[in-house]
Amino acid sequence: MSRAEPPNRRTFVTGAAAAALLGTAPGTARAADLVDGNLPDFHQALKDELNFPLAWGTSPLRDFRAWRRAARATVEEHLLVPRQDGTPYAPDHRESSRGDGYARELVTLSLTRYERVRAALLTPDGPGPFPAVLLLHDHGARFDIGKEKLVRPWYDDTRLASAEAWAEKYFSGRFVGDELARRGYVVLCADALGWGDRGPLAYDQQQALASNFYNLGSSLAGLMAREDARAARFLAGLDRVDARRVAAVGFSMGGYRAWQTAALSDDIAASAAVCWMTGLKEMMVPGNNTLRGQSSYYMLHPGLARHLDIPDVASIAAPRPMFFLDGEQDPLFPADGVRAAYARLRAVWASRHAEERLRTETWPGLGHVFTQPMQDEVFGWLDAVL
């Protein structure tokens, strides 16, 4: 998600339509029954029922390792997509090129048994093995580029123009993946379903795509989660990579993907998530982008909120090193939600006597961006923890 998405539209619903939605007789539904984003007027009662009983500190489980296993199993159950551990990656390496101090190649591989996926793979010059970063792209309602948002597309001049404009808008003109490779990291960045080589999807097609996944007993968000965890395993298994030093890094939806992958995969030793952390209740308020649907389906695991809040899921990665950065003026993640989530995260790491492994920052004056100073903070942090 990003500010590039279409402006929020207030939904007006007739009395008959509201009655049908709410299951009441025509004429009995009030105009106030619905608020921005088609939330029913009893949404507060639904929120009040959520007490996240599996959260660490609330769960009856007192052994942290046992809690992690139970919490991860609960998340995996709600992905709806089965594990793909037995699927051969069968990588096919093509389109190699030289960068400034690193090699570039495109690799096509099977992250699941359903589809082949093309990814950019960057390798620093030298003997290795190297530390590595699984780099996860944002949403941004821009589907013609995916991996190209973070890795300069040396293979496609048309995508290069779009990618340079994107980098200028959100990343201070930098390609984060190329910068990491120059600094000595192997980088893997793949397209999520709908972007780049797996798209382009139209913005208003997302809801239909997600609905069709549910009709098939599956999940769009679950597929993305499984693919990201499998990508982490592939990256850690490369001979050129030090398997003990693999991080997940992402911005916006990519930030969500980064901490989610850390929660689901033991191949991730550290994670940096930029501009995607909040408490669920603080996010589910009138006017928030989440209520619009569409892009939200990439980050929606049905029923999971009956068990765990958003920071509870991220806490499954504790006590591994994690770095969360958010902009003080980010319209997608209001400050109260960020503060609430950070407090939950800090409590978990503190319970493991690992406060120094968790870093949470809110950047004054910044919105939904990953600027060069923020990048430099993340790069320095990666050098320190990997």
Side-chain angles (χ1 to χ4, degrees), residues 285-296:
V285 294
N288 189 275
N289 185 70
T290 305
L291 305 190
R292 207 183 304 160
Q294 298 295 1
S295 60
S296 299

Side-chain angles (χ1 to χ4, degrees), residues 93-100 102-107 118-123 147-148 150-161 163-164 175 177-178 181 187-189 197:
H93 297 260
R94 301 283 180 92
E95 301 288 343
S96 61
S97 175
R98 290 292 311 162
D100 179 16
Y102 58 97
R104 305 180 291 203
E105 58 186 319
L106 290 175
V107 56
R118 193 160 76 154
L121 180 61
L122 310 180
T123 305
K147 59 187 178 295
E148 296 84 7
L150 295 166
V151 174
R152 180 182 290 273
W154 70 92
Y155 45 86
D156 190 318
D157 289 341
T158 300
R159 290 187 187 179
L160 177 59
E164 287 179 334
F175 284 93
D178 296 73
V187 174
L188 180 70
C189 188
D197 295 320

Side-chain angles (χ1 to χ4, degrees), residues 19 43 91 94 112 133 161-162 170 187 202-203 248 275 293 295 328-329 356 376 380:
H43 74 281
R94 301 283 180 92
T112 68
V133 171
S162 294
Y170 291 105
V187 174
Y203 183 85
C275 292
S295 60
E328 180 188 40
Q329 298 179 7
E356 75 285 353
D376 290 341

Side-chain angles (χ1 to χ4, degrees), residues 15-32:
L21 179 63
L22 298 175
T24 59
T28 63
R30 305 183 311 277

Side-chain angles (χ1 to χ4, degrees), residues 51-64 66-68 70-71 307-308:
N51 57 8
F52 312 116
L54 192 51
W56 175 248
T58 302
S59 166
L61 295 173
R62 290 293 178 260
D63 178 81
F64 191 76
W67 174 80
R68 287 184 74 240
H307 306 274
L308 295 160

Side-chain angles (χ1 to χ4, degrees), residues 9-329:
R9 297 181 178 87
R10 176 177 288 274
T11 302
F12 295 95
V13 183
T14 65
L21 179 63
L22 298 175
T24 59
T28 63
R30 305 183 311 277
D33 283 342
L34 299 179
V35 296
D36 283 347
N38 283 339
L39 271 176
D41 66 346
F42 54 80
H43 74 281
Q44 187 60 49
L46 294 173
K47 288 171 71 173
D48 290 344
E49 289 181 355
L50 299 178
N51 57 8
F52 312 116
L54 192 51
W56 175 248
T58 302
S59 166
L61 295 173
R62 290 293 178 260
D63 178 81
F64 191 76
R65 291 184 179 181
W67 174 80
R68 287 184 74 240
R69 289 192 296 270
R72 180 181 286 181
T74 298
V75 176
E76 292 197 340
E77 178 184 352
H78 288 80
L79 299 184
L80 305 183
V81 176
R83 295 181 65 92
Q84 304 289 313
D85 299 340
T87 302
Y89 289 107
D92 180 18
H93 297 260
R94 301 283 180 92
E95 301 288 343
S96 61
S97 175
R98 290 292 311 162
D100 179 16
Y102 58 97
R104 305 180 291 203
E105 58 186 319
L106 290 175
V107 56
T108 302
L109 65 161
S110 298
L111 294 178
T112 68
R113 58 177 173 267
Y114 308 118
E115 184 182 18
R116 300 279 285 170
V117 176
R118 193 160 76 154
L121 180 61
L122 310 180
T123 305
D125 294 341
F130 304 98
V133 171
L134 175 64
L135 202 52
L136 300 156
H137 71 73
D138 60 76
H139 187 292
R142 182 67 180 267
F143 298 96
D144 60 321
I145 50 175
K147 59 187 178 295
E148 296 84 7
K149 294 177 177 181
L150 295 166
V151 174
R152 180 182 290 273
W154 70 92
Y155 45 86
D156 190 318
D157 289 341
T158 300
R159 290 187 187 179
L160 177 59
S162 294
E164 287 179 334
W166 199 257
E168 190 64 37
K169 184 174 184 179
Y170 291 105
F171 308 130
S172 300
R174 269 180 169 175
F175 284 93
V176 177
D178 296 73
E179 188 67 25
L180 282 164
R182 277 190 288 268
R183 291 169 179 256
Y185 292 87
V186 174
V187 174
L188 180 70
C189 188
D191 292 318
L193 181 61
W195 282 269
D197 295 320
R198 304 176 75 187
L201 193 68
Y203 183 85
D204 60 2
Q205 292 175 330
Q206 297 174 97
Q207 219 141 285
L209 178 63
S211 176
N212 287 329
F213 266 90
Y214 292 148
N215 282 328
L216 293 168
S218 192
S219 164
L220 177 59
L223 177 72
M224 187 169 70
R226 289 295 191 200
E227 288 184 347
D228 291 344
R230 283 270 293 171
R233 173 59 56 90
F234 172 76
L235 180 58
L238 293 175
D239 291 341
R240 68 193 79 176
V241 169
D242 182 344
R244 300 164 300 174
R245 302 168 67 198
V246 179
V249 176
F251 163 68
S252 192
M253 183 185 76
Y256 170 93
R257 297 168 67 190
W259 58 252
Q260 178 176 255
T261 305
L264 294 175
S265 171
D266 292 330
D267 294 303
I268 297 299
S271 177
V274 184
C275 292
W276 213 114
M277 179 46 65
T278 185
L280 176 66
K281 293 184 180 182
E282 291 81 8
M283 182 173 64
M284 294 289 294
V285 294
N288 189 275
N289 185 70
T290 305
L291 305 190
R292 207 183 304 160
Q294 298 295 1
S295 60
S296 299
Y297 282 94
Y298 278 97
M299 293 153 280
L300 172 60
H301 304 303
L304 182 57
R306 290 286 179 184
H307 306 274
L308 295 160
D309 197 358
I310 292 166
D312 301 329
V313 178
S315 294
I316 296 171
R320 283 172 282 166
M322 296 189 78
F323 190 4
F324 294 88
L325 304 85
D326 286 271
E328 180 188 40
Q329 298 179 7

